[in-house]
């Protein structure tokens, strides 16, 4: 018993106590931190996809080529996390919309559908949606001006 009360024993008990407390805190706070990190990752991915797609559809949107817009949107739906895609003109009206073909994606897509109109902005933005989806919009630039989203 006298060995435990030595300085070495007290330090060892303190280290064990700190390890147990940190493990407990990690068990409690870990899932919330993981969920927040995953959500941030999805938001970054949505932002990147919106930026890439705005560049790839800008030419077709500038010349109002709806067939080309649909084809570009098909490439977007190849991503397993993308549920739908849409291109909006400068007036905010839909120029092209593409919904998934697969039943699985359609079931997920019931959470939110593309808006019929969208306010066009010269900045990237997230559109308020359900908690289960991230909706991103990027400006379409053609010949130096914003022509849609």
């Amino acid at each position: 018993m006298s060995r435990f009360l030595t300085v070495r024993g007290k330090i060892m008990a303190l280290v064990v106590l700190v390890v147990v407390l940190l493990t407990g805190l990690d068990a409690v706070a870990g899932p919330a931190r993981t969920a927040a990190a995953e959500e941030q990752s999805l938001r970054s991915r949505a932002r990147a996809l919106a930026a890439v797609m705005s560049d790839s559809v800008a030419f077709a949107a500038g010349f109002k080529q709806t067939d080309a817009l649909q084809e570009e949107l098909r490439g977007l739906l190849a991503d397993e996390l993308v549920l739908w895609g849409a291109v909006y003109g400068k007036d905010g009206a839909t120029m092209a919309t593409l919904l998934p073909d697969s039943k699985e994606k359609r079931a997920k897509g019931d959470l939110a559908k593309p808006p019929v109109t969208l306010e066009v902005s010269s900045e990237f933005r997230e559109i308020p949606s359900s908690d289960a989806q991230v909706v991103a919009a990027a400006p379409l630039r053609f010949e130096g001006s914003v022509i849609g989203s």
Side-chain angles (χ1 to χ4, degrees):
M1 180 111 169
S2 64
R3 281 184 128 177
F4 183 72
L5 297 176
T6 64
V7 173
R8 187 179 298 168
K10 291 177 183 176
I11 292 173
M12 194 167 61
L14 181 63
V15 167
V16 169
L17 180 65
V18 168
V19 167
V20 169
L21 283 173
L22 289 177
T23 302
L25 284 173
D26 193 41
V28 170
R33 282 196 312 243
T34 302
E38 202 170 304
E39 182 180 344
Q40 183 58 36
S41 172
L42 287 174
R43 290 184 188 286
S44 296
R45 185 173 179 173
R47 182 182 198 124
L49 283 172
V52 167
M53 286 309 295
S54 71
D55 287 344
S56 68
V57 301
F59 187 78
F63 289 105
K64 297 184 178 18
Q65 298 174 336
T66 55
D67 292 343
L69 289 172
Q70 293 285 1
E71 195 62 35
E72 290 291 337
L73 289 174
R74 261 189 213 66
L76 178 67
L77 289 181
D79 186 321
E80 63 187 22
L81 294 178
V82 175
L83 299 177
W84 52 264
V87 178
Y88 298 89
K90 191 171 188 167
D91 60 353
T94 305
M95 293 177 72
T97 301
L98 192 64
L99 298 172
D101 293 331
S102 74
K103 289 181 183 179
E104 181 182 321
K105 275 196 171 185
R106 267 187 298 213
K108 289 180 185 176
D110 287 343
L111 298 172
K113 299 282 189 236
V116 175
T117 60
L118 181 71
E119 183 181 331
V120 176
S121 171
S122 62
E123 300 289 321
F124 169 85
R125 62 198 169 114
E126 287 184 22
I127 311 301
S129 184
S130 69
D131 290 338
Q133 292 184 338
V134 176
V135 179
L140 294 177
R141 288 187 168 71
F142 184 69
E143 295 181 347
S145 62
V146 176
I147 61 164
S149 190

